[in-house]
Amino acid sequence: MTAASERLDVPQRLEVAGLTRAFGGRAVVCDVSLQVAAGQVMCLLGPSGCGKSTTLRMIAGVETPDQGRILIDGQEVFGPGVNLPPEARGVGLMFQDFALFPHLTVAGNVAFGLVGDKAAKMRRVDELLEKVNLSGFGVMHPHELSGGEQQRVALARALAPRPRVMLMDEPFSGLDNRLRDGIRDATLEVLKAEGAAVLLVTHEPEEAMRMADEIALMRDGRIVQRGAPYNVYNTPVDRAAAAFFSDINVIRGTSRGALTETPFGAFLTPGHADGGEVDIVIRPQHLKIDFDRAGRGPNPTVPEGTPARGVVQRARYLGHASLVEFRMEFDGSILTASVPGVFLPKAETPLWLMIRRDRCYVFPAS
Ligand code: ADP
Ligand code: MG
């Protein structure tokens, strides 16, 4: 959708180009560019301190970029010679500490940013309270509500003036785990129905996978990868990008003639320098236990390559899967496999492991 609109040169709802900001000589946001279409949710995902909030604050207009341009519906709100104040940008904000006004009712909070006649304001307030499933709560005060209900009031308040762009900074991190999934889904539904372009900041990969149409993975002030959740998870650009989404196993080898020999057989490693070290990266759910051949020894004819033998160190049950750690015979290293359901072999059980070639990633050693 994004690509098609770009081709037709239709302005995106939110466009950011080359955004850059340093504090005390240290670059915190470097050359960040992104586009979000109306009705789309982009998650800016990255570890704490990588520059997510600073990016969001610059788009909101509460932090001034050193360089770059920001356009909303094709109109420049920041750029050379242009710097619109936050209230003139048409953006809605929602932060982790979304403090409601304690002296105002729920309806008063939602109506706070609205202008116009009283009847129109009340209609909008009622419409939003219904959308966030709080019809009838208008007369209550914030202290009478649960954390989750307060969060929904804050969402209604931010959406009330029909912002063209919604900027959300870790909006769910103050909620307890049990509530969070339900509130995320409900929030997504309301955001989609309102049709704003949403830029949501989070340091939690699961939250980004759950919420985003597109993920922008950020590290050290830069966007290192962008794409649909499926693509970012399954085709990471480098080892660190892979490791950000799950634990990983790494097998190091040396590429020779576009092949890397390992205890798991040969891997095709085209494009890697002859004699260059490579890391073969496998997520725990893709490290397969070769039950058929268990104990019968290597079989180089299987498509998964050669099984390698390890002995169980430890097995734990996590509810949806079991996590089994192996000490590998070839070098004593530890590899971890995640097995769906219940699989709890005893310590010292020998088993054969395999790596499917279409389920691993090869990077230059780092
Ligand atoms: P994130 O939201 O990804 O955790 P931030 O954008 O809040 O990261 O911060 C990125 C870096 O910039 C951090 O090292 C932070 O300390 C620094 N930083 C943010 N705001 C300021 C500021 N006003 N003055 C100096 N340093 C700042
Ligand atoms: Mg932050």
Side-chain angles (χ1 to χ4, degrees), residues 2-70:
T2 302
S5 322
E6 276 168 3
R7 266 199 307 279
L8 296 169
D9 211 29
V10 171
Q12 297 284 304
R13 180 55 64 81
L14 171 67
E15 290 183 76
V16 169
L19 213 57
T20 297
R21 179 74 164 114
F23 290 114
R26 189 170 68 92
V28 159
V29 175
C30 304
D31 197 21
V32 163
S33 298
L34 51 85
Q35 305 83 31
V36 191
Q40 296 288 295
V41 177
M42 176 175 283
C43 282
L44 200 52
L45 171 69
S48 180
C50 74
K52 305 180 298 295
S53 293
T54 304
T55 303
L56 215 66
R57 289 164 52 77
M58 290 193 283
I59 298 169
V62 295
E63 186 75 66
T64 307
D66 296 331
Q67 259 180 45
R69 296 176 74 211
I70 302 166

Coordinates of all heavy atoms in Angstrom, one line a residue, residues 2-70:
T2 N 1.9 1.2 0.9 CA 2.8 2.4 1.0 C 3.5 2.5 -0.4 O 3.5 3.6 -0.9 CB 3.8 2.1 2.1 OG1 3.1 1.9 3.3 CG2 4.7 3.3 2.2
A3 N 4.0 1.4 -0.9 CA 4.8 1.5 -2.1 C 3.9 2.0 -3.3 O 4.4 2.9 -4.0 CB 5.3 0.1 -2.5
A4 N 2.7 1.6 -3.3 CA 1.8 2.0 -4.4 C 1.5 3.5 -4.3 O 1.6 4.3 -5.3 CB 0.5 1.3 -4.4
S5 N 1.3 4.0 -3.1 CA 1.0 5.5 -2.9 C 2.3 6.3 -3.3 O 2.2 7.3 -3.9 CB 0.6 5.8 -1.5 OG -0.2 4.8 -1.0
E6 N 3.4 5.7 -2.9 CA 4.7 6.4 -3.3 C 4.9 6.5 -4.8 O 5.2 7.6 -5.3 CB 5.9 5.7 -2.6 CG 6.1 6.1 -1.2 CD 7.1 5.2 -0.5 OE1 7.6 4.3 -1.1 OE2 7.3 5.4 0.7
R7 N 4.5 5.4 -5.4 CA 4.7 5.5 -6.9 C 3.8 6.5 -7.5 O 4.1 7.2 -8.4 CB 4.3 4.1 -7.5 CG 5.5 3.2 -7.7 CD 5.2 2.1 -8.7 NE 4.1 1.3 -8.3 CZ 4.0 0.4 -7.4 NH1 5.1 0.1 -6.8 NH2 2.9 -0.3 -7.2
L8 N 2.6 6.6 -7.0 CA 1.6 7.6 -7.6 C 1.9 9.0 -7.0 O 1.2 9.9 -7.4 CB 0.2 7.2 -7.2 CG -0.3 5.9 -7.8 CD1 -1.6 5.4 -7.2 CD2 -0.4 6.0 -9.3
D9 N 2.9 9.1 -6.2 CA 3.2 10.4 -5.6 C 2.1 11.1 -4.8 O 2.0 12.3 -4.8 CB 3.7 11.3 -6.8 CG 4.8 12.3 -6.3 OD1 5.5 12.0 -5.3 OD2 4.9 13.4 -6.8
V10 N 1.3 10.3 -4.2 CA 0.3 10.8 -3.3 C 1.0 11.1 -2.0 O 1.7 10.3 -1.5 CB -0.8 9.8 -3.1 CG1 -1.8 10.2 -2.0 CG2 -1.6 9.5 -4.4
P11 N 0.8 12.3 -1.4 CA 1.4 12.5 -0.1 C 0.9 11.5 0.9 O -0.3 11.2 1.0 CB 1.0 13.9 0.2 CG 0.0 14.4 -0.7 CD -0.1 13.4 -1.9
Q12 N 1.9 11.0 1.7 CA 1.5 10.1 2.8 C 0.9 11.0 3.9 O 1.2 12.2 4.0 CB 2.7 9.4 3.3 CG 3.3 8.5 2.3 CD 2.5 7.2 2.1 OE1 2.3 6.5 3.1 NE2 2.1 6.9 0.9
R13 N 0.2 10.4 4.8 CA -0.3 11.2 5.9 C 0.8 11.8 6.7 O 0.8 13.0 7.1 CB -1.2 10.2 6.8 CG -1.8 10.8 8.0 CD -2.6 12.1 7.7 NE -3.8 11.9 6.9 CZ -5.0 11.5 7.3 NH1 -5.2 11.1 8.5 NH2 -6.0 11.4 6.5
L14 N 1.8 10.9 7.1 CA 3.0 11.4 7.8 C 4.3 11.1 7.0 O 4.4 9.9 6.6 CB 3.1 10.8 9.2 CG 4.4 11.1 10.0 CD1 4.5 12.5 10.3 CD2 4.5 10.2 11.2
E15 N 5.1 12.0 6.7 CA 6.4 11.8 6.0 C 7.5 12.5 6.8 O 7.4 13.7 7.1 CB 6.3 12.3 4.6 CG 5.4 11.5 3.7 CD 5.5 12.1 2.3 OE1 6.5 11.8 1.6 OE2 4.5 12.8 1.9
V16 N 8.5 11.7 7.1 CA 9.7 12.2 7.8 C 10.9 11.9 7.0 O 11.0 10.8 6.5 CB 9.8 11.5 9.2 CG1 11.1 11.9 9.9 CG2 8.6 11.9 10.1
A17 N 11.7 12.9 6.8 CA 12.9 12.7 5.9 C 14.2 13.3 6.6 O 14.2 14.4 7.0 CB 12.7 13.3 4.6
G18 N 15.1 12.4 6.8 CA 16.5 12.9 7.2 C 16.5 13.5 8.6 O 17.3 14.4 8.9
L19 N 15.6 13.1 9.5 CA 15.5 13.7 10.8 C 16.7 13.4 11.6 O 17.1 12.2 11.8 CB 14.2 13.2 11.5 CG 13.5 14.1 12.4 CD1 13.1 15.4 11.7 CD2 12.3 13.5 13.0
T20 N 17.3 14.4 12.2 CA 18.6 14.3 12.9 C 18.6 15.2 14.1 O 18.1 16.3 14.1 CB 19.8 14.7 11.9 OG1 19.8 13.7 10.8 CG2 21.1 14.6 12.6
R21 N 19.2 14.6 15.2 CA 19.2 15.4 16.5 C 20.4 15.0 17.3 O 20.6 13.7 17.5 CB 17.9 15.3 17.3 CG 17.9 16.0 18.6 CD 17.7 17.5 18.3 NE 17.3 18.2 19.6 CZ 18.1 19.1 20.2 NH1 19.3 19.4 19.7 NH2 17.7 19.7 21.3
A22 N 21.2 15.9 17.8 CA 22.3 15.6 18.7 C 22.1 16.3 20.0 O 21.5 17.4 20.0 CB 23.7 16.0 18.1
F23 N 22.5 15.7 21.1 CA 22.6 16.3 22.4 C 24.0 16.4 22.9 O 24.7 15.4 23.0 CB 21.7 15.6 23.4 CG 20.3 15.6 23.2 CD1 19.5 14.5 22.8 CD2 19.6 16.8 23.3 CE1 18.2 14.5 22.6 CE2 18.2 16.9 23.0 CZ 17.5 15.7 22.7
G24 N 24.5 17.6 23.1 CA 25.9 17.8 23.6 C 26.9 17.1 22.7 O 27.8 16.4 23.2
G25 N 26.7 17.2 21.4 CA 27.7 16.6 20.5 C 27.5 15.2 20.2 O 28.1 14.6 19.3
R26 N 26.5 14.5 20.9 CA 26.3 13.1 20.7 C 25.0 12.9 19.8 O 24.0 13.4 20.2 CB 26.1 12.4 22.0 CG 26.1 10.8 21.9 CD 26.2 10.2 23.3 NE 24.9 10.4 24.0 CZ 23.9 9.6 24.1 NH1 23.9 8.5 23.4 NH2 22.8 9.9 24.8
A27 N 25.2 12.3 18.7 CA 24.1 12.1 17.8 C 23.1 11.1 18.4 O 23.5 10.0 18.8 CB 24.5 11.6 16.4
V28 N 21.9 11.4 18.6 CA 20.9 10.6 19.2 C 19.9 10.0 18.2 O 19.4 8.9 18.3 CB 20.2 11.4 20.4 CG1 18.9 10.8 20.8 CG2 21.1 11.4 21.6
V29 N 19.6 10.9 17.2 CA 18.7 10.5 16.1 C 19.5 10.9 14.8 O 19.9 12.0 14.7 CB 17.3 11.1 16.1 CG1 16.5 10.8 14.9 CG2 16.6 10.7 17.4
C30 N 19.7 9.9 14.0 CA 20.5 10.1 12.8 C 19.8 9.8 11.5 O 19.5 8.6 11.2 CB 21.8 9.2 12.8 SG 22.8 9.4 14.2
D31 N 19.4 10.8 10.7 CA 18.9 10.5 9.4 C 17.7 9.6 9.3 O 17.7 8.6 8.5 CB 20.1 10.0 8.5 CG 19.8 10.1 7.0 OD1 18.9 10.9 6.7 OD2 20.4 9.4 6.2
V32 N 16.8 9.8 10.2 CA 15.6 8.9 10.2 C 14.6 9.4 9.2 O 14.2 10.6 9.2 CB 15.0 8.9 11.7 CG1 13.5 8.4 11.6 CG2 15.8 8.1 12.6
S33 N 14.2 8.5 8.4 CA 13.1 8.7 7.4 C 12.0 7.7 7.5 O 12.4 6.5 7.7 CB 13.7 8.7 6.0 OG 14.7 9.7 5.8
L34 N 10.8 8.1 7.4 CA 9.7 7.1 7.5 C 8.4 7.7 6.9 O 8.3 9.0 6.8 CB 9.5 6.5 8.9 CG 9.3 7.5 10.0 CD1 7.9 7.9 10.2 CD2 9.8 6.8 11.3
Q35 N 7.5 6.9 6.5 CA 6.2 7.3 6.0 C 5.1 6.5 6.6 O 5.3 5.2 6.7 CB 6.1 7.2 4.4 CG 7.3 7.9 3.6 CD 8.5 7.0 3.6 OE1 8.4 5.8 3.6 NE2 9.7 7.6 3.5
V36 N 4.1 7.1 7.0 CA 2.9 6.3 7.5 C 1.7 6.8 6.8 O 1.4 8.0 6.7 CB 2.7 6.5 9.0 CG1 1.7 5.5 9.5 CG2 4.1 6.4 9.7
A37 N 0.9 5.9 6.2 CA -0.3 6.2 5.5 C -1.5 6.3 6.5 O -1.4 5.8 7.6 CB -0.6 5.1 4.4
A38 N -2.5 7.0 6.1 CA -3.7 7.1 6.9 C -4.3 5.7 7.2 O -4.3 4.8 6.3 CB -4.8 7.9 6.2
G39 N -4.6 5.4 8.5 CA -5.2 4.1 8.8 C -4.1 3.1 9.1 O -4.4 1.9 9.3
Q40 N -2.8 3.5 8.9 CA -1.8 2.5 9.1 C -1.1 2.7 10.5 O -1.0 3.8 11.0 CB -0.7 2.6 8.0 CG -1.2 2.3 6.7 CD -1.5 0.9 6.5 OE1 -0.5 0.1 6.5 NE2 -2.7 0.5 6.3
V41 N -0.6 1.6 11.0 CA 0.1 1.7 12.3 C 1.6 1.3 12.0 O 1.9 0.2 11.6 CB -0.4 0.7 13.4 CG1 0.4 0.8 14.6 CG2 -1.9 1.1 13.7
M42 N 2.5 2.2 12.3 CA 3.9 1.9 12.2 C 4.5 1.9 13.6 O 4.2 2.8 14.4 CB 4.7 2.9 11.4 CG 6.2 2.6 11.4 SD 7.2 3.6 10.4 CE 6.9 2.9 8.8
C43 N 5.2 0.8 13.9 CA 5.8 0.7 15.3 C 7.3 1.0 15.1 O 8.0 0.4 14.3 CB 5.7 -0.6 15.9 SG 4.0 -0.9 16.6
L44 N 7.8 2.0 15.9 CA 9.2 2.3 16.0 C 9.7 1.5 17.2 O 9.3 1.7 18.3 CB 9.3 3.8 16.3 CG 10.6 4.5 16.0 CD1 11.1 4.2 14.6 CD2 10.5 6.0 16.2
L45 N 10.5 0.5 16.8 CA 10.9 -0.6 17.8 C 12.4 -0.5 18.0 O 13.1 -0.5 17.0 CB 10.4 -1.9 17.3 CG 10.9 -3.2 18.0 CD1 10.3 -3.3 19.4 CD2 10.7 -4.5 17.2
G46 N 12.8 -0.6 19.3 CA 14.2 -0.6 19.5 C 14.5 -0.6 21.0 O 13.6 -0.3 21.8
P47 N 15.8 -0.9 21.4 CA 16.1 -0.9 22.8 C 16.0 0.4 23.5 O 16.0 1.5 22.8 CB 17.5 -1.5 22.8 CG 18.1 -1.2 21.5 CD 16.9 -1.2 20.5
S48 N 15.9 0.4 24.7 CA 15.9 1.7 25.5 C 17.1 2.5 25.2 O 18.2 2.0 25.1 CB 15.9 1.3 27.0 OG 15.8 2.5 27.7
G49 N 16.9 3.8 24.9 CA 18.0 4.7 24.7 C 18.4 4.9 23.2 O 19.3 5.6 22.9
C50 N 17.7 4.2 22.3 CA 18.1 4.2 20.9 C 17.6 5.5 20.2 O 17.9 5.7 19.0 CB 17.7 2.9 20.2 SG 15.9 2.8 19.8
G51 N 16.7 6.3 20.8 CA 16.3 7.5 20.2 C 14.8 7.5 19.7 O 14.4 8.5 19.0
K52 N 14.0 6.6 20.2 CA 12.6 6.5 19.8 C 11.8 7.7 20.3 O 11.1 8.3 19.5 CB 12.0 5.2 20.3 CG 12.7 3.9 20.0 CD 12.0 2.7 20.5 CE 11.9 2.7 22.1 NZ 13.2 2.5 22.7
S53 N 11.9 8.0 21.6 CA 11.1 9.1 22.1 C 11.5 10.4 21.5 O 10.7 11.3 21.2 CB 11.2 9.1 23.6 OG 10.6 8.0 24.2
T54 N 12.8 10.6 21.3 CA 13.3 11.8 20.7 C 12.7 12.0 19.3 O 12.3 13.1 18.9 CB 14.9 11.9 20.7 OG1 15.3 11.6 22.0 CG2 15.4 13.2 20.1
T55 N 12.7 10.9 18.5 CA 12.1 11.0 17.2 C 10.6 11.4 17.3 O 10.1 12.3 16.6 CB 12.2 9.6 16.5 OG1 13.5 9.2 16.5 CG2 11.6 9.6 15.1
L56 N 9.9 10.8 18.2 CA 8.5 11.1 18.4 C 8.2 12.6 18.8 O 7.4 13.2 18.3 CB 7.9 10.2 19.4 CG 6.4 9.7 19.2 CD1 6.4 8.9 17.9 CD2 5.9 8.9 20.3
R57 N 9.1 13.0 19.7 CA 9.0 14.4 20.3 C 9.3 15.4 19.2 O 8.6 16.5 19.1 CB 9.9 14.6 21.5 CG 9.4 13.8 22.7 CD 10.5 13.6 23.8 NE 11.1 14.9 24.1 CZ 10.6 15.8 24.9 NH1 9.4 15.6 25.5 NH2 11.2 17.0 25.1
M58 N 10.2 15.1 18.3 CA 10.4 16.0 17.2 C 9.2 16.1 16.2 O 8.9 17.2 15.7 CB 11.7 15.6 16.4 CG 12.9 15.8 17.2 SD 14.5 15.6 16.2 CE 14.6 13.9 16.1
I59 N 8.6 15.0 16.0 CA 7.4 15.0 15.1 C 6.3 15.7 15.8 O 5.5 16.5 15.1 CB 7.0 13.5 14.7 CG1 8.1 12.8 14.0 CG2 5.7 13.5 13.9 CD1 7.9 11.3 13.8
A60 N 6.2 15.6 17.1 CA 5.1 16.3 17.8 C 5.4 17.8 17.9 O 4.4 18.6 18.0 CB 5.0 15.7 19.3
G61 N 6.6 18.2 17.7 CA 7.0 19.6 17.8 C 7.4 20.1 19.1 O 7.5 21.3 19.4
V62 N 7.7 19.2 20.1 CA 8.1 19.6 21.4 C 9.7 19.5 21.5 O 10.2 19.8 22.6 CB 7.4 18.8 22.5 CG1 6.0 19.1 22.5 CG2 7.7 17.3 22.4
E63 N 10.3 19.0 20.5 CA 11.8 18.9 20.4 C 12.1 19.4 19.0 O 11.4 19.1 18.1 CB 12.2 17.5 20.6 CG 13.7 17.3 20.7 CD 14.2 17.8 22.1 OE1 13.9 17.2 23.1 OE2 15.0 18.7 22.1
T64 N 13.2 20.3 18.9 CA 13.5 20.8 17.6 C 14.6 20.0 16.9 O 15.7 19.8 17.5 CB 14.0 22.3 17.7 OG1 13.0 23.0 18.4 CG2 14.2 22.9 16.3
P65 N 14.4 19.5 15.7 CA 15.4 18.7 15.0 C 16.6 19.6 14.6 O 16.4 20.8 14.5 CB 14.7 18.2 13.7 CG 13.3 18.4 14.0 CD 13.1 19.5 15.0
D66 N 17.8 19.0 14.5 CA 18.9 19.8 13.9 C 18.8 19.9 12.4 O 19.2 20.8 11.8 CB 20.3 19.1 14.3 CG 20.5 19.1 15.8 OD1 20.0 20.0 16.4 OD2 21.2 18.1 16.2
Q67 N 18.2 18.8 11.8 CA 18.1 18.7 10.4 C 16.9 17.8 10.1 O 16.5 17.0 10.9 CB 19.3 18.0 9.8 CG 20.3 18.9 9.2 CD 21.5 18.1 8.7 OE1 21.3 17.0 8.0 NE2 22.7 18.5 8.9
G68 N 16.4 18.0 8.9 CA 15.3 17.1 8.4 C 14.0 17.8 8.1 O 13.9 19.0 8.3
R69 N 13.1 17.0 7.5 CA 11.8 17.6 7.2 C 10.7 16.7 7.7 O 10.8 15.5 7.8 CB 11.6 17.7 5.7 CG 12.6 18.7 5.0 CD 12.5 18.6 3.5 NE 11.2 19.3 3.1 CZ 10.5 19.0 2.0 NH1 10.9 18.0 1.3 NH2 9.4 19.7 1.7
I70 N 9.6 17.3 8.1 CA 8.4 16.6 8.6 C 7.2 17.1 7.8 O 7.0 18.3 7.8 CB 8.2 16.8 10.1 CG1 9.4 16.3 10.9 CG2 6.9 16.0 10.6 CD1 9.4 16.7 12.3

